[in-house]
Amino acid sequence: MAKIIPFKAVRPTRDKVNLLAARSYDSYTAAQVESRLRDNPFSFLHIVNPGYKFQKEISGVERYGLVRNRYEEFKEDGIFMQDEKPSFYIYKIVNRDGLKFTGIVAAASVQDYEDDVIKKHEDTLEYRETVLKEYVKTIGFNAEAVLLTYPDNPNLNEIILSVMQNRPEYEFTTTYRDTHYLWNVDDEELLKKIQEIYAEIPALYIADGHHRSASSYLLAKDLKEENPEHTGDESYNYFMSFLIPESDLKIYEFNRLVKDLNGLEKEEFLIKLDESFRIENRGLDYYKPSKKHHFSMYLDGEFYSLHLRKNKYKINNALDALDAQILYTTILKPLLGIEDLRNDQRIEYSHGKKELAYVQTVIDSGSFAVGFGLLPVTTDELKKIADEGLKMPPKSTYIEPKLRSGVTVYEF
């Protein structure tokens, strides 16, 4: 059964939240980062990019300590404040496309992570887990919540809707044209009721944030060993999460771009494809797959539809049935020679929000030789793979919502 707890968030004052909140650092171009650091002294980017103060690029362990310094300065200057009571935080996002996401920011249990009550569907890289663990250990806080999902629960929905009748603590719109709302819930009776509802939910599923949750688990193990008076109630036994119902989850596909045909001529490649797929040349007609096990391919200025020959492909488990896995086992690995999907420099990924027009553009430019379009993974597929203890290929899902960093901060 899932355990979540309220916490005393460190968060920006109401007048600064729209200036402080930032997207994930990796989502900005270098020019965007520069302009925000130059023009907005309150941006959370100043904390995660502390070298800007010295006009110097700083990395590694030296950067970790400076991140902590910038964070403390924001607190000292009154840009951040900390809630006096442990709270849950109802968070709602209405994005530029009109999609709405509503959930609860809370602290989730690392013990649940270890016990597989919090289920994973994606592999992680050990070195990234370790680096992130050391980073968080030094800075002492989480500023970016792990996205967890659960089956829709009418009782929880009712509580959330009731809280949202009140004036939000925050209401701000970003330059990205997303509107964010936050309600602070610190009533003890309501907190208890929310916890009891989650305690009846058999499992939570990681939608986004596998490395963040894994590093939090490793950090808890480290700090437990270092603390002779460990009780299990310490803040390091939890990590900040944003819990949303499955119906609010929006999953996009990741399309695949490959730089060459692995030494094959176009006709050779098509003949080899014909062994596993029924192929139709669609010419210049924009083709996007509409069924599972159907794929779009763009090659040499033309679109193709690829329909899996089911008598040639055996499905033994939930992973075998996943389109990203089918593409890997039938094309990327045997024909194009791509075995390591994470590290092979010949393959890149384009999330589905960019659509196949982007795939067409970069291939026509000569940067890539062939591109493949897939359907998005469904929530049911994600859950089945997690339930069977399997892991998706990397870049199988691009999931929204994406929370802003710095709106709520969880300290260890």
Side-chain angles (χ1 to χ4, degrees), residues 176-224:
Y176 208 59
R177 300 199 303 279
D178 296 342
T179 303
H180 297 246
Y181 307 83
L182 182 136
W183 291 262
N184 188 331
V185 181
D186 60 11
D187 177 77
E188 290 187 11
E189 185 177 336
L190 200 50
L191 294 177
K192 183 180 178 183
K193 191 177 294 186
I194 291 171
Q195 286 182 285
E196 288 173 348
I197 293 173
Y198 276 107
E200 295 174 357
I201 296 175
L204 303 172
Y205 294 83
I206 299 175
D208 190 27
H210 282 79
H211 283 95
R212 276 171 276 145
S213 50
S215 63
S216 294
Y217 168 66
L218 293 176
L219 175 62
K221 287 179 65 177
D222 275 9
L223 296 180
K224 176 182 177 180

Coordinates of all heavy atoms in Angstrom, one line a residue, residues 176-224:
Y176 N 6.0 30.5 -21.4 CA 5.7 29.4 -22.3 C 4.2 29.2 -22.5 O 3.8 28.3 -23.1 CB 6.3 28.1 -21.5 CG 6.7 27.0 -22.5 CD1 7.6 27.2 -23.4 CD2 6.1 25.7 -22.3 CE1 8.0 26.1 -24.3 CE2 6.5 24.7 -23.1 CZ 7.5 24.9 -24.1 OH 7.9 23.8 -24.9
R177 N 3.4 30.1 -21.9 CA 2.0 30.2 -22.0 C 1.3 29.0 -21.3 O 0.2 28.6 -21.7 CB 1.5 30.3 -23.4 CG 2.0 31.5 -24.1 CD 1.2 31.9 -25.4 NE 1.2 30.8 -26.4 CZ 2.1 30.6 -27.3 NH1 3.2 31.3 -27.3 NH2 1.9 29.6 -28.1
D178 N 1.9 28.5 -20.2 CA 1.2 27.6 -19.3 C 0.8 28.3 -18.1 O 1.5 29.2 -17.6 CB 2.2 26.4 -18.9 CG 2.6 25.5 -20.0 OD1 1.9 25.6 -21.1 OD2 3.6 24.8 -19.9
T179 N -0.4 28.0 -17.6 CA -0.9 28.6 -16.3 C -0.8 27.6 -15.2 O -1.3 26.5 -15.3 CB -2.3 29.2 -16.5 OG1 -2.3 30.1 -17.6 CG2 -2.8 29.9 -15.2
H180 N -0.3 28.1 -14.1 CA 0.0 27.2 -12.9 C -0.8 27.7 -11.7 O -0.9 28.9 -11.5 CB 1.4 27.2 -12.6 CG 2.3 26.6 -13.6 ND1 3.0 25.4 -13.5 CD2 2.6 27.0 -14.9 CE1 3.7 25.2 -14.6 NE2 3.5 26.2 -15.4
Y181 N -1.4 26.7 -11.0 CA -2.2 27.1 -9.8 C -1.7 26.1 -8.6 O -1.4 25.0 -8.9 CB -3.7 26.8 -10.0 CG -4.3 27.5 -11.1 CD1 -4.2 26.9 -12.4 CD2 -5.0 28.7 -11.0 CE1 -4.8 27.5 -13.5 CE2 -5.6 29.3 -12.1 CZ -5.5 28.7 -13.4 OH -6.1 29.3 -14.5
L182 N -1.6 26.7 -7.4 CA -1.2 25.8 -6.3 C -2.1 26.2 -5.1 O -2.3 27.4 -4.8 CB 0.2 26.0 -6.0 CG 0.8 25.2 -4.8 CD1 2.1 24.5 -5.2 CD2 0.9 26.0 -3.5
W183 N -2.6 25.2 -4.4 CA -3.4 25.3 -3.2 C -2.6 24.6 -2.0 O -2.2 23.4 -2.2 CB -4.8 24.7 -3.3 CG -5.7 25.5 -4.2 CD1 -6.6 26.4 -3.9 CD2 -5.8 25.3 -5.6 NE1 -7.3 26.8 -5.0 CE2 -6.8 26.2 -6.1 CE3 -5.1 24.6 -6.6 CZ2 -7.2 26.3 -7.4 CZ3 -5.4 24.7 -7.9 CH2 -6.5 25.5 -8.3
N184 N -2.5 25.3 -0.9 CA -1.8 24.7 0.2 C -2.8 24.0 1.1 O -3.8 24.6 1.5 CB -1.1 25.9 1.0 CG -0.3 25.4 2.1 OD1 -0.5 24.3 2.7 ND2 0.8 26.1 2.4
V185 N -2.6 22.7 1.4 CA -3.5 21.9 2.3 C -2.8 21.6 3.6 O -1.9 20.7 3.5 CB -4.0 20.6 1.6 CG1 -5.0 19.9 2.5 CG2 -4.6 21.0 0.2
D186 N -3.2 22.2 4.7 CA -2.5 21.9 5.9 C -3.5 21.5 7.1 O -3.1 21.3 8.2 CB -1.6 23.0 6.4 CG -2.4 24.3 6.6 OD1 -3.6 24.3 6.6 OD2 -1.7 25.4 6.8
D187 N -4.8 21.4 6.7 CA -5.7 20.9 7.7 C -5.5 19.5 8.1 O -5.4 18.6 7.2 CB -7.1 21.1 7.2 CG -8.2 20.6 8.1 OD1 -8.5 21.3 9.1 OD2 -8.7 19.4 7.9
E188 N -5.3 19.2 9.4 CA -4.8 17.9 9.8 C -5.8 16.8 9.5 O -5.4 15.7 9.1 CB -4.6 17.9 11.3 CG -3.3 18.7 11.7 CD -3.0 18.6 13.2 OE1 -3.6 17.7 13.9 OE2 -2.1 19.4 13.7
E189 N -7.1 17.1 9.6 CA -8.1 16.1 9.3 C -8.1 15.7 7.8 O -8.2 14.6 7.4 CB -9.5 16.6 9.7 CG -10.6 15.5 9.5 CD -11.9 16.0 10.0 OE1 -12.0 16.9 10.8 OE2 -13.0 15.5 9.5
L190 N -7.9 16.7 7.0 CA -7.9 16.5 5.5 C -6.6 15.8 5.1 O -6.6 14.9 4.2 CB -8.0 17.9 4.8 CG -8.4 17.9 3.3 CD1 -9.7 17.0 3.1 CD2 -8.6 19.3 2.8
L191 N -5.5 16.2 5.7 CA -4.2 15.5 5.5 C -4.3 14.0 5.8 O -3.9 13.1 5.0 CB -3.1 16.1 6.3 CG -2.7 17.5 6.0 CD1 -1.6 18.0 7.0 CD2 -2.2 17.7 4.6
K192 N -4.9 13.7 6.9 CA -5.1 12.3 7.3 C -6.0 11.5 6.3 O -5.7 10.4 5.9 CB -5.7 12.2 8.7 CG -5.9 10.8 9.2 CD -6.5 10.8 10.7 CE -6.7 9.4 11.2 NZ -7.3 9.4 12.5
K193 N -7.1 12.2 5.9 CA -8.0 11.5 4.9 C -7.3 11.2 3.6 O -7.4 10.2 3.0 CB -9.2 12.5 4.7 CG -10.3 11.8 3.9 CD -11.5 12.7 3.8 CE -12.1 13.1 5.2 NZ -13.4 13.9 5.0
I194 N -6.5 12.2 3.1 CA -5.7 12.0 1.9 C -4.7 10.8 2.0 O -4.6 9.9 1.1 CB -5.0 13.3 1.5 CG1 -6.0 14.3 1.0 CG2 -4.0 13.0 0.3 CD1 -5.4 15.7 0.8
Q195 N -4.0 10.8 3.1 CA -3.1 9.7 3.4 C -3.8 8.3 3.4 O -3.3 7.3 2.9 CB -2.3 9.9 4.7 CG -1.3 11.0 4.6 CD -0.5 11.2 5.9 OE1 -1.0 11.8 6.8 NE2 0.7 10.7 5.9
E196 N -5.0 8.3 4.0 CA -5.7 7.0 4.1 C -6.2 6.5 2.8 O -6.1 5.3 2.5 CB -6.9 7.2 5.1 CG -6.6 7.4 6.5 CD -7.8 7.7 7.4 OE1 -8.8 8.1 6.8 OE2 -7.6 7.7 8.6
I197 N -6.5 7.5 1.9 CA -6.9 7.1 0.5 C -5.7 6.5 -0.2 O -5.9 5.4 -0.8 CB -7.5 8.3 -0.2 CG1 -8.8 8.7 0.4 CG2 -7.7 7.9 -1.7 CD1 -9.4 10.0 -0.2
Y198 N -4.6 7.1 -0.1 CA -3.4 6.6 -0.8 C -3.0 5.3 -0.2 O -2.5 4.4 -0.9 CB -2.3 7.6 -0.8 CG -2.3 8.6 -1.9 CD1 -2.7 10.0 -1.6 CD2 -2.1 8.3 -3.2 CE1 -2.8 10.9 -2.6 CE2 -2.1 9.3 -4.2 CZ -2.5 10.6 -3.9 OH -2.6 11.5 -4.9
A199 N -3.2 5.1 1.1 CA -2.8 3.8 1.7 C -3.6 2.6 1.2 O -3.2 1.5 1.4 CB -3.0 3.9 3.2
E200 N -4.8 2.9 0.6 CA -5.6 1.9 0.0 C -5.2 1.6 -1.5 O -5.8 0.7 -2.1 CB -7.1 2.3 0.1 CG -7.6 2.4 1.5 CD -9.0 2.9 1.6 OE1 -9.5 3.3 0.5 OE2 -9.5 3.0 2.7
I201 N -4.4 2.4 -2.0 CA -3.9 2.2 -3.4 C -2.8 1.2 -3.5 O -1.7 1.4 -2.8 CB -3.5 3.6 -4.1 CG1 -4.7 4.5 -4.1 CG2 -2.9 3.3 -5.5 CD1 -4.4 5.9 -4.6
P202 N -2.9 0.1 -4.2 CA -1.9 -1.0 -4.1 C -0.5 -0.6 -4.7 O 0.5 -1.0 -4.2 CB -2.5 -2.1 -4.9 CG -3.9 -1.7 -5.2 CD -4.1 -0.3 -5.0
A203 N -0.5 0.3 -5.7 CA 0.7 0.6 -6.3 C 0.7 2.0 -7.0 O -0.4 2.5 -7.4 CB 1.1 -0.4 -7.4
L204 N 1.8 2.7 -7.0 CA 2.0 3.9 -7.8 C 3.0 3.6 -8.9 O 3.9 2.7 -8.7 CB 2.6 5.0 -6.9 CG 1.8 5.4 -5.6 CD1 2.6 6.4 -4.7 CD2 0.4 6.0 -6.0
Y205 N 2.9 4.3 -10.0 CA 3.7 4.0 -11.1 C 4.5 5.3 -11.5 O 4.0 6.4 -11.5 CB 2.9 3.6 -12.4 CG 2.2 2.3 -12.2 CD1 1.0 2.2 -11.5 CD2 2.8 1.1 -12.7 CE1 0.3 1.0 -11.3 CE2 2.1 -0.1 -12.5 CZ 0.9 -0.2 -11.8 OH 0.3 -1.4 -11.6
I206 N 5.8 5.1 -11.7 CA 6.7 6.2 -12.1 C 6.3 6.5 -13.5 O 6.5 5.7 -14.4 CB 8.2 5.9 -11.9 CG1 8.5 5.6 -10.5 CG2 9.0 7.1 -12.5 CD1 10.0 5.2 -10.3
A207 N 5.9 7.8 -13.8 CA 5.6 8.2 -15.2 C 6.9 8.9 -15.7 O 7.2 8.7 -16.9 CB 4.4 9.1 -15.2
D208 N 7.5 9.7 -14.9 CA 8.7 10.5 -15.3 C 9.5 10.7 -14.1 O 9.0 11.2 -13.0 CB 8.2 11.8 -15.9 CG 9.4 12.5 -16.6 OD1 10.3 11.8 -17.1 OD2 9.4 13.8 -16.7
G209 N 10.8 10.5 -14.2 CA 11.7 10.7 -13.1 C 12.4 9.5 -12.5 O 12.6 9.4 -11.3
H210 N 12.7 8.5 -13.3 CA 13.3 7.2 -12.9 C 14.6 7.5 -12.2 O 15.0 6.9 -11.2 CB 13.4 6.2 -14.0 CG 12.1 5.5 -14.3 ND1 11.1 6.1 -15.1 CD2 11.6 4.3 -14.0 CE1 10.1 5.3 -15.2 NE2 10.4 4.2 -14.6
H211 N 15.4 8.3 -12.8 CA 16.8 8.6 -12.2 C 16.7 9.4 -10.9 O 17.4 9.1 -10.0 CB 17.7 9.3 -13.2 CG 18.2 8.5 -14.3 ND1 17.6 8.3 -15.5 CD2 19.3 7.6 -14.3 CE1 18.3 7.5 -16.3 NE2 19.3 7.0 -15.6
R212 N 15.7 10.3 -10.9 CA 15.5 11.1 -9.6 C 15.1 10.2 -8.5 O 15.6 10.3 -7.4 CB 14.5 12.2 -9.9 CG 15.1 13.5 -10.5 CD 14.1 14.4 -10.9 NE 13.5 14.1 -12.2 CZ 12.3 14.3 -12.6 NH1 11.4 14.8 -11.7 NH2 11.9 14.0 -13.8
S213 N 14.2 9.3 -8.8 CA 13.7 8.4 -7.7 C 14.8 7.4 -7.3 O 15.0 7.1 -6.1 CB 12.4 7.7 -8.1 OG 12.5 7.1 -9.4
A214 N 15.5 6.9 -8.3 CA 16.6 5.9 -8.0 C 17.7 6.6 -7.2 O 18.2 6.0 -6.2 CB 17.2 5.4 -9.3
S215 N 18.0 7.8 -7.5 CA 19.1 8.5 -6.7 C 18.6 8.9 -5.3 O 19.4 8.8 -4.4 CB 19.5 9.8 -7.4 OG 18.4 10.7 -7.5
S216 N 17.3 9.1 -5.1 CA 16.8 9.4 -3.8 C 16.9 8.1 -3.0 O 17.2 8.2 -1.7 CB 15.3 9.9 -3.9 OG 15.3 11.1 -4.5
Y217 N 16.6 7.0 -3.6 CA 16.7 5.7 -2.9 C 18.2 5.4 -2.4 O 18.4 5.1 -1.3 CB 16.2 4.6 -3.8 CG 16.5 3.2 -3.3 CD1 15.9 2.7 -2.1 CD2 17.4 2.4 -4.0 CE1 16.2 1.4 -1.7 CE2 17.7 1.1 -3.5 CZ 17.1 0.6 -2.4 OH 17.4 -0.6 -1.9
L218 N 19.1 5.7 -3.3 CA 20.5 5.5 -3.0 C 21.0 6.5 -1.9 O 21.7 6.1 -1.0 CB 21.4 5.7 -4.3 CG 21.2 4.7 -5.4 CD1 22.1 5.0 -6.6 CD2 21.6 3.3 -4.9
L219 N 20.5 7.7 -2.0 CA 20.8 8.7 -1.0 C 20.3 8.2 0.4 O 21.0 8.4 1.4 CB 20.2 10.0 -1.3 CG 20.4 11.2 -0.3 CD1 21.9 11.5 -0.1 CD2 19.7 12.4 -0.7
A220 N 19.1 7.7 0.5 CA 18.5 7.3 1.7 C 19.4 6.2 2.3 O 19.6 6.1 3.5 CB 17.1 6.8 1.5
K221 N 19.8 5.3 1.5 CA 20.7 4.2 1.9 C 22.0 4.7 2.5 O 22.4 4.3 3.6 CB 21.0 3.2 0.8 CG 19.8 2.3 0.4 CD 20.2 1.4 -0.8 CE 21.3 0.4 -0.4 NZ 21.6 -0.5 -1.5
D222 N 22.6 5.7 1.9 CA 23.8 6.3 2.4 C 23.6 7.0 3.7 O 24.4 6.7 4.7 CB 24.3 7.3 1.4 CG 25.2 6.7 0.3 OD1 25.3 5.5 0.2 OD2 25.8 7.5 -0.5
L223 N 22.6 7.8 3.8 CA 22.4 8.6 5.0 C 21.9 7.7 6.2 O 22.2 8.0 7.3 CB 21.4 9.7 4.7 CG 21.8 10.7 3.7 CD1 20.7 11.8 3.5 CD2 23.1 11.4 4.1
K224 N 21.2 6.6 5.8 CA 20.9 5.6 6.9 C 22.1 5.0 7.5 O 22.2 4.9 8.7 CB 20.0 4.6 6.3 CG 19.6 3.5 7.3 CD 18.7 2.4 6.6 CE 18.4 1.3 7.6 NZ 17.5 0.2 7.0

